[in-house]
Amino acid sequence: MSTPSPQETTGSQAPAALGREDTTGLGRGGTAGLGREDVAHLARLARLALTDEELDHFAGQLSAVLDAVAEVGKADVDDVPPMTHAVPLTNVTREDVVTPSLPRDVVLTQAPAAEDDRFRVPQILGEEE
Amino acid sequence: MSTPVNTDLTTLDAAELGRRLAAGETSSVELTQAYLDRIAAQDDVLGAYLHVDPEVALARAGEVDAARAAGEELGPLAGLPVALKDVFVTEGVPTTSGSRILEGWRPPYDATVAARLKAAGTVLLGKTNMDEFAMGSSTENSAYRPTRNPWDPDRIPGGSSGGSSAAVAGGLAPWALGTDTGGSIRQPAALTGLVGHKPTYGAVSRYGLIAFSSSLDQAGPMARTVLDAAVLHEAIGGHDPRDSTSIDAPVPVLVKASQEGARGELAGLRVGVVRELGGDGHTDGYDAGVLERVRETVELLAGMGAEVREVSCPAFDLALPAYYLIAPSEASSNLARFEGMRFGLRVGDDGSHSLEEVMSLTREQGFGPEVKRRIVLGTYALSAGYYDAYYGQAQKVRTLITRDFTSAFDDVDVLVSPTSPTVAWPIGARVDDPLAMYAADLCTLPASLAGLPAISVPCGLSEGLPVGFQVMAPALSDDRCYRVAAAVEAALDAARGSRLLDELANREAAA
């Protein structure tokens, strides 16, 4: 999963590239209702460690929301193209010129943890996979 | 000229304050101090600000005053204080987007709009409260505290730019910037008696605006008058090479349009009243008082020479479900960047948790309930097997909504509606009912989905609370919004013999 930085504003890309996760755990084709297990599965995909209380609470709320948004299915959209964006811009380019980046030490002062002029992150080697 | 008699600078509009600064009748330090005093006295109750640094603001004001004293050529905004919604990153100034996950973060750069206001000589008063990551319609989803409505502190100020609306309406800032994804400038402006404009998508830079839903997010002005909003809009608008969705076109001439509109020059203007937004058969969920004020305002426009007709936009009925699929989908992608590695909160990094566990714990602790709900919903709508039925279908409905606008604008110059179906509601009334909260956006969503400019201008009171009138226009025709809004504002002010916000000041004086 890519994690764009906050200053990135190229919003025209469809989020679909990130979102097409395998969610076969949900089953296929069902419409209404998100159960507790469904919410837990989606939360795992989104890296959210929801509590038991949240799972109970959100399952009910999200089922109601899902019923409401499923209304889009009523529209007759045969031959209607999808609209991803309001501005008909494609391929915005610029000269490939090197410009200064943000100073490393300034950026690292805002990091949760830094070491040796780098972001320090939790160990990833030795994890399952 | 007589000596200014109004000793309370914080009840004046920015245009008058700018005139006094240029004329040497006040200084930026005096002005900034007046707002800081007002913030100190009022903000414990209102909760409009998340961050105020009086020393920095006064030092900045002193610099502008010194430059003026030295005879430097200054722009019309020089020395005027301004407040920014906390969604805009500001170099060295704490920026949270209303979320715990960014608590204490000091961004290393300025948003383009913040940089432009700085270059224009404005003084940053502070960062205003907001629904977390701009997700909400009441500012109750702020991770820090709710904001209260200056008209009635037991009620919400709208959202998500509710800190900005409360600050300006309450006299805690002369004007402010907000952002609008599904109505987050227009609805809080409506609910607090302000003017708020969502520019054409791409007309104001999104660089440095913490992203919620990238195909919808747009920054814009919130102000006491249409003219002030136009001045602020012109100052921030225009192409920005750092935002690849920025439109490379001149900013429409908005100040002039506002001045012409204020003279009531509307002859020949064709106004379409959208049936699906509060018209016959579509009044469920609307306050009768809101519809009455809007109907009166339409009559007012007709009286000024506008040709008024009803217009039907059937796909607008599906704007709410389409929006609440598209926005959460984009949000679930955008908010992936908050994983506790490069900035903000990190939880569980004690050697006993894996990288993924640290990410999950950080996001669990750093995000509030509405953000989590939308991430889960967006993840679902984008997932294989559901993508076509939800996200894909919503995108096609978005096309239908845009087509409705296009065909309507074949026949009329602007479309009008209420801005919000209701007046400000009591704090807590909708906080645990997402669908009730979402319904607040009913009227503002169509223009958001189509990327069109739309303004909210006050059109009176209902139950003693402000009502907003929405004017929507074709892309890059923002000037039409300002022209019509200025006509409404001038006619209502003339009929009332005062400005709507004077009513608020009078109530406060009487209390």
Side-chain angles (χ1 to χ4, degrees):
Chain A
M1 183 179 286
S2 76
T3 49
S5 59
Q7 69 266 33
E8 178 263 84
T9 56
T10 52
S12 57
Q13 85 278 19
L18 273 181
R20 283 185 191 272
E21 305 252 7
D22 177 12
T23 55
T24 48
L26 290 172
R28 297 284 174 125
T31 48
L34 275 181
R36 201 175 179 283
E37 292 308 307
D38 298 326
V39 174
H41 178 67
L42 291 163
R44 269 195 303 278
L45 292 175
R47 306 289 179 267
L48 282 173
L50 297 183
T51 63
D52 286 346
E53 198 180 25
E54 284 176 317
L55 287 174
D56 292 335
H57 202 52
F58 289 167
Q61 289 179 328
L62 287 170
S63 289
V65 171
L66 197 59
D67 283 347
V69 297
E71 290 282 302
V72 293
K74 286 183 173 176
D76 180 4
V77 292
D78 288 349
D79 305 323
V80 175
M83 174 176 169
T84 56
H85 213 264
V87 179
L89 285 173
T90 48
N91 297 335
V92 177
T93 59
R94 61 169 170 79
E95 294 300 312
D96 186 13
V97 178
V98 177
T99 55
S101 301
L102 293 168
R104 181 170 56 192
D105 47 337
V106 172
V107 171
L108 288 177
T109 60
Q110 298 303 309
E115 198 175 296
D116 298 337
D117 286 341
R118 292 173 177 83
F119 294 113
R120 189 183 64 72
V121 301
Q123 185 173 334
I124 52 170
L125 297 178
E127 281 190 20
E128 58 182 331
E129 186 157 3
Chain B
M1 175 175 289
S2 62
T3 312
V5 289
N6 194 335
T7 53
D8 193 349
L9 294 166
T10 61
T11 63
L12 301 176
D13 58 59
E16 169 62 14
L17 295 173
R19 188 196 64 73
R20 292 189 185 190
L21 280 170
E25 295 169 19
T26 187
S27 67
S28 183
V29 167
E30 183 186 24
L31 207 48
T32 302
Q33 188 64 57
Y35 284 102
L36 291 171
D37 290 347
R38 180 97 182 144
I39 291 167
Q42 301 278 332
D43 207 39
D44 281 349
V45 171
L46 284 181
Y49 284 93
L50 290 176
H51 175 79
V52 177
D53 189 334
E55 278 184 31
V56 170
L58 287 169
R60 165 80 175 151
E63 286 169 16
V64 181
D65 286 340
R68 198 184 300 278
E72 282 182 38
E73 195 75 31
L74 299 178
L77 273 65
L80 286 170
V82 65
L84 294 180
K85 185 179 184 180
D86 206 31
V87 74
F88 298 104
V89 303
T90 41
E91 185 177 351
V93 179
T95 301
T96 68
S97 207
S99 181
R100 292 282 176 200
I101 210 163
L102 283 176
E103 189 167 13
W105 183 52
R106 290 175 184 263
Y109 67 102
D110 272 327
T112 292
V113 294
R116 287 184 180 175
L117 290 181
K118 200 184 265 183
T122 64
V123 175
L124 179 62
L125 277 173
K127 305 294 290 292
T128 57
N129 203 1
M130 56 184 286
D131 287 300
E132 184 175 6
F133 289 108
M135 298 178 192
S137 308
S138 69
T139 315
E140 292 164 295
N141 293 336
S142 166
Y144 298 94
R145 54 176 176 167
T147 301
R148 295 172 179 275
N149 192 321
W151 290 82
D152 178 351
D154 292 330
R155 290 176 188 266
I156 58 97
S160 65
S161 309
S164 288
S165 70
V168 178
L172 280 58
W175 52 10
L177 290 189
T179 56
D180 190 314
T181 303
S184 285
I185 287 173
R186 291 162 283 163
Q187 183 256 16
L191 269 39
T192 56
L194 301 182
V195 177
H197 180 70
K198 183 195 88 72
T200 299
Y201 180 86
V204 175
S205 171
R206 291 186 301 111
Y207 178 78
L209 191 169
I210 296 172
F212 158 22
S213 183
S214 299
S215 79
L216 300 165
D217 296 341
Q218 189 59 183
M222 302 172 76
R224 298 175 73 92
T225 68
V226 176
L227 181 63
D228 280 359
V231 170
L232 194 53
H233 184 160
E234 287 191 3
I236 60 170
H239 184 242
D240 177 13
R242 286 172 147 165
D243 173 0
S244 66
T245 57
S246 171
I247 297 171
D248 193 1
V251 183
V253 181
L254 307 171
V255 170
K256 185 161 166 285
S258 303
Q259 290 163 338
E260 288 169 0
R263 292 195 289 269
E265 294 171 11
L266 295 185
L269 181 85
R270 300 168 302 165
V271 175
V273 182
V274 182
R275 182 188 303 157
E276 284 74 13
L277 303 178
D280 283 348
H282 295 82
T283 56
D284 277 1
Y286 288 81
D287 287 353
V290 167
L291 294 177
E292 184 62 15
R293 291 295 89 74
V294 169
R295 192 185 56 73
E296 292 164 3
T297 307
V298 170
E299 285 174 9
L300 190 69
L301 291 173
M304 285 189 275
E307 298 170 20
V308 178
R309 71 187 77 175
E310 190 183 62
V311 168
S312 178
C313 299
F316 286 17
D317 284 341
L318 292 175
L320 197 138
Y323 175 85
Y324 278 98
L325 284 165
I326 291 168
S329 295
E330 295 189 9
S332 70
S333 165
N334 270 324
L335 269 57
R337 76 192 50 164
F338 300 104
E339 25 64 323
M341 296 301 123
R342 294 159 301 156
F343 36 74
L345 185 69
R346 180 184 291 184
V347 176
D349 185 16
D350 55 9
S352 72
H353 294 100
S354 71
L355 178 76
E356 281 203 4
E357 286 168 347
V358 169
M359 288 182 177
S360 298
L361 291 167
T362 299
R363 290 159 65 80
E364 167 61 14
Q365 191 167 316
F367 291 146
E370 181 62 14
V371 173
K372 290 173 183 168
R373 278 192 291 264
R374 294 206 194 183
I375 289 174
V376 170
L377 182 65
T379 304
Y380 178 77
L382 292 174
S383 57
Y386 294 90
Y387 181 92
D388 290 341
Y390 290 103
Y391 184 69
Q393 182 79 6
Q395 287 185 312
K396 292 175 180 176
V397 169
R398 195 174 178 184
T399 302
L400 295 179
I401 289 166
T402 301
R403 286 179 180 173
D404 277 357
F405 271 115
T406 303
S407 69
F409 286 130
D410 283 343
D411 297 324
V412 299
D413 300 308
V414 294
L415 291 169
V416 300
S417 76
T419 306
S420 162
T422 70
V423 294
W425 59 87
I427 286 176
R430 303 186 188 183
V431 77
D432 208 32
D433 184 352
L435 285 172
M437 189 72 84
Y438 299 169
D441 306 336
L442 209 55
C443 303
T444 47
L445 294 173
S448 294
L449 289 166
L452 303 183
I455 201 166
S456 180
V457 63
C459 65
L461 301 175
S462 170
E463 304 167 51
L465 296 163
V467 176
F469 183 75
Q470 181 176 230
V471 183
M472 299 166 273
L476 295 174
S477 296
D478 300 57
D479 54 316
R480 292 187 199 172
C481 297
Y482 283 94
R483 182 184 302 271
V484 176
V488 168
E489 177 185 67
L492 290 176
D493 285 356
R496 197 186 294 117
S498 65
R499 288 180 174 164
L500 188 70
L501 283 175
D502 293 339
E503 162 83 15
L504 182 56
N506 293 341
R507 282 189 203 177
E508 191 178 307

